[in-house]
Amino acid sequence: MRLKTLQINGFKSFAHKTILEFETPVVSIVGPNGSGKSNVVEAIRFVLGEQSMKSMRGKGGSDLVFKGSKNLSQGSKAAVTIYFNNTDKVFKLSNDGGDDINLNYDVISISREVFSDGMNKYILNGTEVRLKDIHNLLASVNIGSSGHHIISQGEADRILNANARDRREMVEDALGLKIYQYKIKESERKLEKTNENIKEVTMLRRENAPHLNFLKKQVEKFEKGKEMQVELADLYREYLKKESVYLEQEEKTLSAESNKLKNELKDVAGKISSTEDNSSVAGNKKIEELRIVEQKINSIRSDKNELGRKLGRIEGMIEAKANRVKISGKCPLCGSEIKDTETDQIEKRQNEEKE
Ligand code: ATP
Ligand code: MG
C-alpha cells in the first residue's frame, strides 16, 4: 500500500483542482512561505477523516473552503480525494457481522467534501459511506486517528513531549491495534443494544404471559377438539357401516314384501278387470232397459198431461154451462125448470168430479 495521488479542489488556498502525484517513496514539497505547503498536509488530514478543526487551523467547515481572492470568487465546497495503491489488497472493511472483507480494488480512493455550512460527505471508490467506514478502512492499514503518521509544522516535539497515554495510543496505532479497539467498541455497543433488547423482550414476555397462557389453553382445546373429531369420524364410519348393513337387510325385506303386494295387486287388478268385463255387459243391458222404461214413463207422463189439459177444458166448459143454467133456471140437457137446490147439486157434483 502506498500513497499514489492527492487531488485537492477548493480546499483552503487551492481554488482550482490540483493533482499531486507521489510517484517515488520519498517526496518533498518545497515552496515559499504562505504558498500552501501546510495546506497540502492538512488536505491529507482532512481526507483521512480528521475531526479536529484546530489541527487544520480552522474553526468550522467554511474555513476549509476557498475564501476567494481578488480574481477568484468564493467556493461553495472543498473536496479532497486521496488515492492509494492497493495491488497488494491490504485494505479491508468490516461488515455488520464483524468479518473483515478485503477490498478487491487495485486503487482505493477516499474522498471527503465539506460545504460552507459544515456538512461533510465521505465517498469510498465512488460510493458514499459513513465516517465510521473510513476509520474502519484506515485502521485496517494501521492508520488510526491518533495522527502519529502526520507531523505538522512545529509539531515535531509533540511526540517527544507526549504523555504516557498519548504515546501508548500512538504505539497502538502503529501496531495496528486500533482496528481491534474499534471492534471491541463496536461489540460493546452491540452488546449494550442486545442487553436493552433482552430487557425489552423480558418486559414483553411478562406483559404477554397471560395472553400466552390463554393461547396455550386454546391450543390444548384445539388439539383435544382435533382428537375428538378423529374419534367422531371413526364412530361415524362404524355407524354408517352398521346402518348400511341394516338398510340392505331392510331393502331386501321390503322388496320381498313389495313383490308380494305387487303380485296381490296384479291378481286383484285381474279380477277387477274380468269383473268389469262381465258387469259391463249386464250393466249395459239394464241401462238399455231402464232407458226404455224411462221413455215409456215420459210418454205416459205426456199423455197424462194431455188428458189433464183436456179434462180441464171440459170442466171449464161444464162450469160455464152450469153458470148459464143457474142464470136461466133450465136444465141444459132436457130444458126443464130446475130449482136452486138442483143447481146446487149440479155444482156439488161438478166439484166432486174435479176433485
Ligand atoms: P509556511 O512556509 O510559512 O509554513 P505554507 O507554505 O505552509 O507557509 P500555508 O500555511 O499552507 O503556507 O498556507 C497559508 C496560505 O493559505 C495563506 O496565504 C492563506 O491566506 C491561505 N489560506 C488559508 N485558508 C484559506 C482559505 N480558506 N481560502 C483561501 N486561502 C486560504
Ligand atoms: Mg507551513
Side-chain angles (χ1 to χ4, degrees), residues 5-8 14 16-22 83:
T5 310
L6 184 70
Q7 184 183 298
I8 311 171
F14 294 90
H16 298 296
K17 188 197 259 186
T18 309
I19 297 172
L20 305 172
E21 297 283 355
F22 301 95
Y83 295 87

Side-chain angles (χ1 to χ4, degrees), residues 9 20 36 40 45-46 48 68-69 85 96 98 134-135 144 166 168 218 247 263 290 301 310 337 339 342 354:
N9 191 4
L20 305 172
V40 173
R45 272 185 191 278
F46 169 74
L48 295 182
S69 66
N85 182 318
D96 287 345
I134 300 292
H135 281 156
D166 290 347
R168 182 192 160 130
Q218 291 286 94
L247 286 173
N263 289 337
L290 271 173
R301 194 173 286 136
K310 277 181 186 172
E337 290 276 334
K339 293 171 187 158
E342 283 173 338
K354 245 184 222 177

Side-chain angles (χ1 to χ4, degrees), residues 58-88:
K59 281 183 184 147
S62 60
D63 293 331
L64 304 179
V65 179
F66 178 67
K67 280 200 174 91
S69 66
K70 267 189 191 170
N71 303 322
L72 296 166
S73 59
Q74 192 181 344
S76 61
K77 71 167 183 181
V80 178
T81 306
I82 193 164
Y83 295 87
F84 290 102
N85 182 318
N86 186 41
T87 43
D88 47 0

